[in-house]
Amino acid sequence: MKYTALLILVTACIALTSFQYVSAQTFDRTLAMGSSGTDVSSLQQMLMEKGYFGYPTITGYFGTVTQRAVADFQVANGIEPVGFVGPA
């Protein structure tokens, strides 16, 4: 019984860490080159936490650094690397 509970706990921990990269962040509009605002800041923060946004500060402006970070994230997660983010 004790080993079964431990196995279930370990399995649950592995499952949780396997899906850790998936973000629950949703956006109400398409964020692309030239966009700005708090939603772009949120996107940059998420990308920074996951190691894709290497700019030293969160700017809230969607420029070439953010576009590259989005495309890199998309490639790493099996998403077509379009370089922009939308509600879908």
Side-chain angles (χ1 to χ4, degrees), residues 23-28 39 86-87:
S23 175
Q25 180 71 42
T26 57
F27 300 99
D28 295 333
D39 46 0

Side-chain angles (χ1 to χ4, degrees), residues 50-71:
K50 297 181 183 318
Y52 295 98
F53 186 74
Y55 201 73
T57 59
I58 301 301
T59 64
Y61 176 76
F62 197 118
T64 56
V65 174
T66 305
Q67 184 180 42
R68 180 79 257 154
V70 167

Side-chain angles (χ1 to χ4, degrees), residues 2-78:
K2 181 167 67 172
Y3 295 109
T4 303
L6 180 59
L7 178 61
I8 291 169
L9 178 61
V10 169
T11 303
C13 288
I14 291 170
L16 285 174
T17 57
S18 296
F19 294 104
Q20 186 175 7
Y21 68 89
V22 177
S23 175
Q25 180 71 42
T26 57
F27 300 99
D28 295 333
R29 65 183 178 118
T30 297
L31 305 178
M33 187 67 75
S35 298
S36 62
T38 57
D39 46 0
V40 175
S41 296
S42 295
L43 173 64
Q44 291 172 334
Q45 182 66 42
M46 184 272 299
L47 291 167
M48 184 179 276
E49 289 170 1
K50 297 181 183 318
Y52 295 98
F53 186 74
Y55 201 73
T57 59
I58 301 301
T59 64
Y61 176 76
F62 197 118
T64 56
V65 174
T66 305
Q67 184 180 42
R68 180 79 257 154
V70 167
D72 290 346
F73 175 86
Q74 290 167 334
V75 167
N77 288 281

